[in-house]
């Protein structure tokens, strides 16, 4: 006889939504008119920095991601016959698995490397020589490395595209793409001819040290009209908050930047709160802004959303998980479809998807 207590514990509901809020992508899909020509340029590019994207390419990439997310079962063979080399020399859960999930969902095959010590690098092989071998073994490379220069060094020898999946404290462009994709899914009106009210954006983090924050702010430069203000909250001295030239780039793009060290004074006006506390430096990580955290009792606007690149620590309380503020799970889910869109473009398979209605 089945123990009724055990039976109750082991049951789960497949149809229960795994994200909060109206995360359905079809509104964004309808908001952006398709123009695949803007995606064609990606087939001859490595993905190195958020600086390499322009507004039109971003919008078309988000539209393709929304197309995938709106019809997840329709595109299972787009990458048949293609091989991804997934090289993660720094710990990762979401980024590695979302890239590999994206590739598998499109029908491709994967070779994974998760430890430098298992490669020729451990015997002194240069990254240039490793890249030369990758040219023969795969069709695309995704690299995460704690050393900032590794991606650029491999780019010089590769004849297949490589994606920067995080290089030290420098950048994490695909995380930023997923972050902005989430914001536009939440407010698709922001990319229409008649946009709604621009956003007050609260960013809890350190632009000079956090690659997710650095890459996201670079993308904001392509959409200055979307943001009424960007307030960066941290307890560091103002001279340590920005890397050289970073603040100037944002201001020259037309963004209104404020800084603060009191989070609760900023939250009541914030439409979007993006919070992070971890920066990977060398082979370990450091935490910044330990005094900042948000929970269900924080003075958030009723309709505000909270984003976090994850993994989280004490800065983001689980008491928010069951509220409408929780868009960080939607953010993680959408990253798979965003990466599906990007990978499709890099290996010259976008036309196969754009032709499907």
């Amino acid at each position: 006889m089945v123990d009724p207590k055990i039976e109750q514990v082991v049951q789960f509901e497949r149809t229960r939504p795994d994200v909060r809020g109206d995360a359905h992508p079809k509104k964004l899909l309808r908001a952006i008119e398709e123009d695949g020509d803007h995606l064609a340029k990606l087939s001859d590019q490595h993905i190195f920095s958020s600086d390499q994207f322009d507004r039109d390419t971003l919008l078309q990439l988000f539209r393709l991601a929304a197309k995938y997310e709106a019809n997840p079962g329709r595109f299972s063979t787009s990458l048949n016959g293609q091989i991804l080399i997934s090289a993660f020399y720094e710990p990762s859960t979401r980024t590695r698995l979302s890239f590999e999930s994206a590739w598998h969902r499109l029908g491709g095959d994967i070779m994974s490397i998760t430890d430098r010590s298992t490669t020729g690098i451990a015997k002194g092989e240069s990254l240039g020589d490793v890249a030369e071998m990758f040219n023969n073994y795969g069709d695309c490379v995704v690299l995460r490395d704690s050393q900032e220069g590794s991606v650029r060094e491999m780019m010089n020898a590769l004849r297949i595209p490589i994606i920067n999946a995080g290089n030290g404290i420098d950048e994490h462009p695909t995380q930023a793409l997923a972050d902005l994709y989430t914001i536009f899914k939440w407010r698709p009106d922001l990319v229409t001819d008649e946009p709604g009210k621009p956003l007050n954006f609260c960013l809890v983090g350190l632009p000079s040290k956090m690659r997710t924050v650095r890459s996201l702010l670079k993308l904001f430069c392509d959409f200055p009209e979307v943001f009424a203000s960007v307030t960066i909250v941290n307890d560091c001295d103002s001279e340590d908050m920005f890397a050289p030239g970073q603040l100037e780039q944002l201001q020259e793009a037309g963004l209104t930047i404020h800084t603060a060290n009191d989070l609760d004074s900023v939250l009541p006006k914030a439409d979007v709160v993006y919070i992070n506390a971890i920066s990977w430096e060398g082979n370990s990580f450091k935490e910044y802004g330990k005094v900042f955290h948000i929970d269900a009792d924080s003075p958030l606007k009723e309709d505000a959303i909270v984003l976090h690149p994850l993994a989280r620590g004490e800065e983001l309380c689980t008491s928010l998980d069951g509220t409408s503020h929780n868009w960080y799970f939607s953010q993680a889910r959408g990253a798979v479809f965003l990466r599906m869109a990007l990978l499709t473009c890099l290996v010259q398979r976008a036309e196969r998807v754009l032709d499907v209605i």
Side-chain angles (χ1 to χ4, degrees):
M1 180 179 178
V2 177
D3 185 333
K5 293 182 179 179
I6 294 294
E7 187 173 27
Q8 183 178 5
V9 170
V10 299
Q11 295 291 330
F12 71 97
E13 177 58 64
R14 288 187 180 274
T15 58
R16 182 180 179 182
D18 62 349
V19 294
R20 289 278 170 173
D22 182 10
H24 204 286
K26 287 190 176 180
K27 291 182 180 179
L28 181 59
L29 188 62
R30 291 192 293 265
I32 303 171
E33 184 177 350
E34 185 171 272
D35 186 349
D37 289 344
H38 292 292
L39 297 177
K41 68 181 74 173
L42 293 175
S43 64
D44 296 319
Q45 291 186 7
H46 301 298
I47 303 303
F48 178 65
S49 167
S50 290
D51 281 326
Q52 72 189 83
F53 294 98
D54 60 50
R55 179 189 180 95
D56 289 332
T57 301
L58 289 169
L59 288 176
Q60 291 304 313
L61 196 58
F62 296 152
R63 190 187 194 282
L64 182 54
K67 189 171 187 176
Y68 274 136
E69 190 169 1
N71 302 281
R74 186 177 295 181
F75 307 97
S76 59
T77 62
S78 301
L79 298 185
N80 275 1
Q82 299 286 292
I83 297 174
L84 177 71
I85 300 173
S86 175
F88 278 74
Y89 302 142
E90 181 189 288
S92 173
T93 301
R94 273 147 300 278
T95 303
R96 180 172 68 86
L97 293 184
S98 69
F99 265 115
E100 295 185 3
S101 174
W103 196 268
H104 277 305
R105 286 172 183 268
L106 295 172
D109 296 308
I110 293 174
M111 297 185 293
S112 293
I113 309 169
T114 57
D115 189 346
R116 272 177 172 268
S117 66
T118 65
T119 73
I121 297 173
K123 296 185 288 187
E125 186 175 22
S126 71
L127 287 173
D129 284 352
V130 172
E132 193 59 52
M133 296 306 101
F134 284 175
N135 287 327
N136 302 308
Y137 301 153
D139 301 287
C140 184
V141 182
V142 178
L143 177 67
R144 168 170 286 188
D145 199 314
S146 57
Q147 300 177 22
E148 290 183 30
S150 294
V151 175
R152 184 180 288 275
E153 187 173 345
M154 294 196 77
M155 283 165 52
N156 293 332
L158 282 169
R159 297 185 299 278
I160 59 175
I162 186 171
I163 299 174
N164 177 8
N167 60 328
I169 64 172
D170 186 30
E171 284 211 51
H172 194 350
T174 63
Q175 177 64 55
L177 291 171
D179 299 341
L180 192 54
Y181 173 58
T182 305
I183 293 170
F184 288 153
K185 275 197 303 179
W186 170 63
R187 285 281 308 277
D189 62 289
L190 292 171
V191 295
T192 63
D193 292 335
E194 298 181 2
K197 186 178 179 181
L199 304 175
N200 288 318
F201 192 92
C202 171
L203 196 157
V204 187
L206 189 59
S208 63
K209 296 287 187 181
M210 294 176 178
R211 60 194 180 196
T212 57
V213 170
R214 184 193 301 268
S215 289
L216 182 58
L217 288 174
K218 287 177 179 288
L219 291 186
F220 283 6
C221 291
D222 290 308
F223 298 93
E225 78 287 352
V226 166
F227 302 97
S229 67
V230 176
T231 302
I232 299 171
V233 181
N234 203 275
D235 54 359
C236 289
D237 294 335
S238 57
E239 61 266 23
D240 297 325
M241 193 171 292
F242 297 98
Q246 195 172 31
L247 178 58
E248 291 78 5
Q249 179 187 19
L250 302 174
Q251 292 174 332
E252 288 172 6
L255 291 164
T256 300
I257 306 295
H258 303 292
T259 61
N261 55 22
D262 179 8
L263 178 58
D264 282 355
S265 69
V266 177
L267 290 181
K269 296 181 180 179
D271 301 297
V272 181
V273 181
Y274 186 102
I275 186 166
N276 192 14
I278 292 177
S279 172
W280 275 94
E281 300 180 27
N283 293 317
S284 186
F285 66 90
K286 291 184 179 180
E287 291 185 57
Y288 294 92
K290 293 182 180 180
V291 300
F292 302 115
H293 66 276
I294 54 175
D295 56 35
D297 294 324
S298 296
L300 293 160
K301 288 178 64 175
E302 183 178 356
D303 57 349
I305 65 169
V306 176
L307 303 178
H308 192 300
L310 303 173
R312 64 171 153 189
E314 295 180 0
E315 73 278 358
L316 179 61
C317 183
T318 57
S319 64
L320 281 165
D321 291 359
T323 72
S324 60
H325 300 301
N326 173 6
W327 272 66
Y328 38 90
F329 290 160
S330 175
Q331 183 183 0
R333 169 184 166 81
V336 175
F337 300 101
L338 184 283
R339 288 174 173 132
M340 288 170 67
L342 183 62
L343 290 165
T344 303
C345 295
L346 294 183
V347 296
Q348 301 175 310
R349 296 289 180 91
E351 288 187 3
R352 297 188 180 191
V353 181
L354 295 176
D355 289 341
V356 178
I357 299 175

